[in-house]
mmCIF file with all atom_site columns, all heavy atoms in Angstrom:
data_model
loop_
_atom_site.group_PDB
_atom_site.id
_atom_site.type_symbol
_atom_site.label_atom_id
_atom_site.label_alt_id
_atom_site.label_comp_id
_atom_site.label_asym_id
_atom_site.label_entity_id
_atom_site.label_seq_id
_atom_site.pdbx_PDB_ins_code
_atom_site.Cartn_x
_atom_site.Cartn_y
_atom_site.Cartn_z
_atom_site.occupancy
_atom_site.B_iso_or_equiv
_atom_site.pdbx_formal_charge
_atom_site.auth_seq_id
_atom_site.auth_comp_id
_atom_site.auth_asym_id
_atom_site.auth_atom_id
_atom_site.pdbx_PDB_model_num
ATOM 1   N N   . PRO B 1 211 ? 16.818 3.102  54.931 1.00 92.00 ? 216 PRO B N   1
ATOM 2   C CA  . PRO B 1 211 ? 15.441 3.249  54.527 1.00 92.00 ? 216 PRO B CA  1
ATOM 3   C C   . PRO B 1 211 ? 15.141 2.468  53.268 1.00 92.00 ? 216 PRO B C   1
ATOM 4   O O   . PRO B 1 211 ? 15.877 2.527  52.333 1.00 92.00 ? 216 PRO B O   1
ATOM 5   C CB  . PRO B 1 211 ? 15.395 4.763  54.272 1.00 92.00 ? 216 PRO B CB  1
ATOM 6   C CG  . PRO B 1 211 ? 16.777 5.211  54.006 1.00 92.00 ? 216 PRO B CG  1
ATOM 7   C CD  . PRO B 1 211 ? 17.702 4.249  54.609 1.00 92.00 ? 216 PRO B CD  1
ATOM 8   N N   . GLU B 1 212 ? 13.981 1.761  53.358 1.00 87.00 ? 217 GLU B N   1
ATOM 9   C CA  . GLU B 1 212 ? 13.533 1.028  52.160 1.00 87.00 ? 217 GLU B CA  1
ATOM 10  C C   . GLU B 1 212 ? 12.109 1.239  51.913 1.00 87.00 ? 217 GLU B C   1
ATOM 11  O O   . GLU B 1 212 ? 11.338 1.643  52.831 1.00 87.00 ? 217 GLU B O   1
ATOM 12  C CB  . GLU B 1 212 ? 13.869 -0.536 52.344 1.00 87.00 ? 217 GLU B CB  1
ATOM 13  C CG  . GLU B 1 212 ? 15.291 -0.777 52.115 1.00 87.00 ? 217 GLU B CG  1
ATOM 14  C CD  . GLU B 1 212 ? 15.590 -2.364 52.140 1.00 87.00 ? 217 GLU B CD  1
ATOM 15  O OE1 . GLU B 1 212 ? 14.623 -3.144 52.234 1.00 87.00 ? 217 GLU B OE1 1
ATOM 16  O OE2 . GLU B 1 212 ? 16.776 -2.719 52.054 1.00 87.00 ? 217 GLU B OE2 1
ATOM 17  N N   . ASN B 1 213 ? 11.654 1.058  50.707 1.00 87.00 ? 218 ASN B N   1
ATOM 18  C CA  . ASN B 1 213 ? 10.307 1.289  50.334 1.00 87.00 ? 218 ASN B CA  1
ATOM 19  C C   . ASN B 1 213 ? 9.794  0.077  49.496 1.00 87.00 ? 218 ASN B C   1
ATOM 20  O O   . ASN B 1 213 ? 10.408 -0.181 48.488 1.00 87.00 ? 218 ASN B O   1
ATOM 21  C CB  . ASN B 1 213 ? 10.234 2.618  49.561 1.00 87.00 ? 218 ASN B CB  1
ATOM 22  C CG  . ASN B 1 213 ? 8.703  3.057  49.424 1.00 87.00 ? 218 ASN B CG  1
ATOM 23  O OD1 . ASN B 1 213 ? 7.834  2.415  49.949 1.00 87.00 ? 218 ASN B OD1 1
ATOM 24  N ND2 . ASN B 1 213 ? 8.582  4.209  48.934 1.00 87.00 ? 218 ASN B ND2 1
ATOM 25  N N   . ASP B 1 214 ? 8.855  -0.652 50.062 1.00 84.00 ? 219 ASP B N   1
ATOM 26  C CA  . ASP B 1 214 ? 8.320  -1.696 49.183 1.00 84.00 ? 219 ASP B CA  1
ATOM 27  C C   . ASP B 1 214 ? 6.816  -1.752 49.319 1.00 84.00 ? 219 ASP B C   1
ATOM 28  O O   . ASP B 1 214 ? 6.171  -1.009 50.036 1.00 84.00 ? 219 ASP B O   1
ATOM 29  C CB  . ASP B 1 214 ? 8.901  -3.038 49.573 1.00 84.00 ? 219 ASP B CB  1
ATOM 30  C CG  . ASP B 1 214 ? 8.629  -3.561 51.042 1.00 84.00 ? 219 ASP B CG  1
ATOM 31  O OD1 . ASP B 1 214 ? 7.483  -3.301 51.476 1.00 84.00 ? 219 ASP B OD1 1
ATOM 32  O OD2 . ASP B 1 214 ? 9.460  -4.279 51.664 1.00 84.00 ? 219 ASP B OD2 1
ATOM 33  N N   . PHE B 1 215 ? 6.311  -2.631 48.465 1.00 85.00 ? 220 PHE B N   1
ATOM 34  C CA  . PHE B 1 215 ? 4.809  -2.682 48.276 1.00 85.00 ? 220 PHE B CA  1
ATOM 35  C C   . PHE B 1 215 ? 4.098  -3.158 49.511 1.00 85.00 ? 220 PHE B C   1
ATOM 36  O O   . PHE B 1 215 ? 3.009  -2.734 49.804 1.00 85.00 ? 220 PHE B O   1
ATOM 37  C CB  . PHE B 1 215 ? 4.668  -3.664 47.129 1.00 85.00 ? 220 PHE B CB  1
ATOM 38  C CG  . PHE B 1 215 ? 3.053  -3.862 46.851 1.00 85.00 ? 220 PHE B CG  1
ATOM 39  C CD1 . PHE B 1 215 ? 2.399  -2.810 46.175 1.00 85.00 ? 220 PHE B CD1 1
ATOM 40  C CD2 . PHE B 1 215 ? 2.415  -5.018 47.166 1.00 85.00 ? 220 PHE B CD2 1
ATOM 41  C CE1 . PHE B 1 215 ? 0.987  -2.949 45.909 1.00 85.00 ? 220 PHE B CE1 1
ATOM 42  C CE2 . PHE B 1 215 ? 1.153  -5.178 46.863 1.00 85.00 ? 220 PHE B CE2 1
ATOM 43  C CZ  . PHE B 1 215 ? 0.337  -4.064 46.229 1.00 85.00 ? 220 PHE B CZ  1
ATOM 44  N N   . VAL B 1 216 ? 4.766  -3.948 50.272 1.00 85.00 ? 221 VAL B N   1
ATOM 45  C CA  . VAL B 1 216 ? 4.084  -4.515 51.397 1.00 85.00 ? 221 VAL B CA  1
ATOM 46  C C   . VAL B 1 216 ? 4.202  -3.682 52.618 1.00 85.00 ? 221 VAL B C   1
ATOM 47  O O   . VAL B 1 216 ? 3.088  -3.361 53.256 1.00 85.00 ? 221 VAL B O   1
ATOM 48  C CB  . VAL B 1 216 ? 4.658  -6.024 51.849 1.00 85.00 ? 221 VAL B CB  1
ATOM 49  C CG1 . VAL B 1 216 ? 4.111  -6.565 52.997 1.00 85.00 ? 221 VAL B CG1 1
ATOM 50  C CG2 . VAL B 1 216 ? 4.451  -6.993 50.557 1.00 85.00 ? 221 VAL B CG2 1
ATOM 51  N N   . LEU B 1 217 ? 5.388  -3.304 52.953 1.00 80.00 ? 222 LEU B N   1
ATOM 52  C CA  . LEU B 1 217 ? 5.570  -2.493 54.245 1.00 80.00 ? 222 LEU B CA  1
ATOM 53  C C   . LEU B 1 217 ? 5.636  -0.968 53.982 1.00 80.00 ? 222 LEU B C   1
ATOM 54  O O   . LEU B 1 217 ? 5.577  -0.218 54.897 1.00 80.00 ? 222 LEU B O   1
ATOM 55  C CB  . LEU B 1 217 ? 6.870  -2.924 54.873 1.00 80.00 ? 222 LEU B CB  1
ATOM 56  C CG  . LEU B 1 217 ? 6.953  -4.312 55.423 1.00 80.00 ? 222 LEU B CG  1
ATOM 57  C CD1 . LEU B 1 217 ? 8.334  -4.761 55.705 1.00 80.00 ? 222 LEU B CD1 1
ATOM 58  C CD2 . LEU B 1 217 ? 5.998  -4.534 56.515 1.00 80.00 ? 222 LEU B CD2 1
ATOM 59  N N   . GLY B 1 218 ? 5.723  -0.595 52.783 1.00 86.00 ? 223 GLY B N   1
ATOM 60  C CA  . GLY B 1 218 ? 5.785  0.843  52.487 1.00 86.00 ? 223 GLY B CA  1
ATOM 61  C C   . GLY B 1 218 ? 7.106  1.360  52.976 1.00 86.00 ? 223 GLY B C   1
ATOM 62  O O   . GLY B 1 218 ? 8.180  0.637  52.832 1.00 86.00 ? 223 GLY B O   1
ATOM 63  N N   . GLN B 1 219 ? 7.291  2.599  53.434 1.00 86.00 ? 224 GLN B N   1
ATOM 64  C CA  . GLN B 1 219 ? 8.524  3.149  53.777 1.00 86.00 ? 224 GLN B CA  1
ATOM 65  C C   . GLN B 1 219 ? 8.827  2.548  55.281 1.00 86.00 ? 224 GLN B C   1
ATOM 66  O O   . GLN B 1 219 ? 8.054  2.658  56.071 1.00 86.00 ? 224 GLN B O   1
ATOM 67  C CB  . GLN B 1 219 ? 8.309  4.662  53.948 1.00 86.00 ? 224 GLN B CB  1
ATOM 68  C CG  . GLN B 1 219 ? 9.674  5.419  54.133 1.00 86.00 ? 224 GLN B CG  1
ATOM 69  C CD  . GLN B 1 219 ? 10.445 5.613  52.848 1.00 86.00 ? 224 GLN B CD  1
ATOM 70  O OE1 . GLN B 1 219 ? 9.891  5.464  51.808 1.00 86.00 ? 224 GLN B OE1 1
ATOM 71  N NE2 . GLN B 1 219 ? 11.727 5.831  52.945 1.00 86.00 ? 224 GLN B NE2 1
ATOM 72  N N   . HIS B 1 220 ? 9.989  1.931  55.342 1.00 88.00 ? 225 HIS B N   1
ATOM 73  C CA  . HIS B 1 220 ? 10.373 1.395  56.545 1.00 88.00 ? 225 HIS B CA  1
ATOM 74  C C   . HIS B 1 220 ? 11.895 1.330  56.625 1.00 88.00 ? 225 HIS B C   1
ATOM 75  O O   . HIS B 1 220 ? 12.679 1.517  55.652 1.00 88.00 ? 225 HIS B O   1
ATOM 76  C CB  . HIS B 1 220 ? 9.801  -0.071 56.724 1.00 88.00 ? 225 HIS B CB  1
ATOM 77  C CG  . HIS B 1 220 ? 10.319 -1.050 55.715 1.00 88.00 ? 225 HIS B CG  1
ATOM 78  N ND1 . HIS B 1 220 ? 9.963  -1.111 54.393 1.00 88.00 ? 225 HIS B ND1 1
ATOM 79  C CD2 . HIS B 1 220 ? 11.242 -1.955 55.913 1.00 88.00 ? 225 HIS B CD2 1
ATOM 80  C CE1 . HIS B 1 220 ? 10.608 -2.059 53.801 1.00 88.00 ? 225 HIS B CE1 1
ATOM 81  N NE2 . HIS B 1 220 ? 11.378 -2.614 54.521 1.00 88.00 ? 225 HIS B NE2 1
ATOM 82  N N   . TRP B 1 221 ? 12.423 1.023  57.793 1.00 92.00 ? 226 TRP B N   1
ATOM 83  C CA  . TRP B 1 221 ? 13.778 0.883  58.107 1.00 92.00 ? 226 TRP B CA  1
ATOM 84  C C   . TRP B 1 221 ? 14.187 -0.690 58.000 1.00 92.00 ? 226 TRP B C   1
ATOM 85  O O   . TRP B 1 221 ? 13.573 -1.550 58.606 1.00 92.00 ? 226 TRP B O   1
ATOM 86  C CB  . TRP B 1 221 ? 14.275 1.379  59.466 1.00 92.00 ? 226 TRP B CB  1
ATOM 87  C CG  . TRP B 1 221 ? 14.241 2.861  59.650 1.00 92.00 ? 226 TRP B CG  1
ATOM 88  C CD1 . TRP B 1 221 ? 13.251 3.538  60.205 1.00 92.00 ? 226 TRP B CD1 1
ATOM 89  C CD2 . TRP B 1 221 ? 15.183 3.726  59.092 1.00 92.00 ? 226 TRP B CD2 1
ATOM 90  N NE1 . TRP B 1 221 ? 13.598 4.938  60.026 1.00 92.00 ? 226 TRP B NE1 1
ATOM 91  C CE2 . TRP B 1 221 ? 14.803 5.009  59.405 1.00 92.00 ? 226 TRP B CE2 1
ATOM 92  C CE3 . TRP B 1 221 ? 16.502 3.566  58.498 1.00 92.00 ? 226 TRP B CE3 1
ATOM 93  C CZ2 . TRP B 1 221 ? 15.588 6.088  59.147 1.00 92.00 ? 226 TRP B CZ2 1
ATOM 94  C CZ3 . TRP B 1 221 ? 17.146 4.742  58.200 1.00 92.00 ? 226 TRP B CZ3 1
ATOM 95  C CH2 . TRP B 1 221 ? 16.768 6.002  58.520 1.00 92.00 ? 226 TRP B CH2 1
ATOM 96  N N   . SER B 1 222 ? 15.151 -1.008 57.116 1.00 93.00 ? 227 SER B N   1
ATOM 97  C CA  . SER B 1 222 ? 15.512 -2.454 56.995 1.00 93.00 ? 227 SER B CA  1
ATOM 98  C C   . SER B 1 222 ? 16.876 -2.633 57.528 1.00 93.00 ? 227 SER B C   1
ATOM 99  O O   . SER B 1 222 ? 17.893 -1.750 57.488 1.00 93.00 ? 227 SER B O   1
ATOM 100 C CB  . SER B 1 222 ? 15.578 -2.648 55.498 1.00 93.00 ? 227 SER B CB  1
ATOM 101 O OG  . SER B 1 222 ? 16.098 -4.057 55.204 1.00 93.00 ? 227 SER B OG  1
#
Side-chain angles (χ1 to χ4, degrees):
Chain B
E217 284 186 6
N218 196 355
D219 66 32
F220 179 71
V221 176
L222 296 168
Q224 191 80 19
H225 66 281
W226 289 99
S227 173

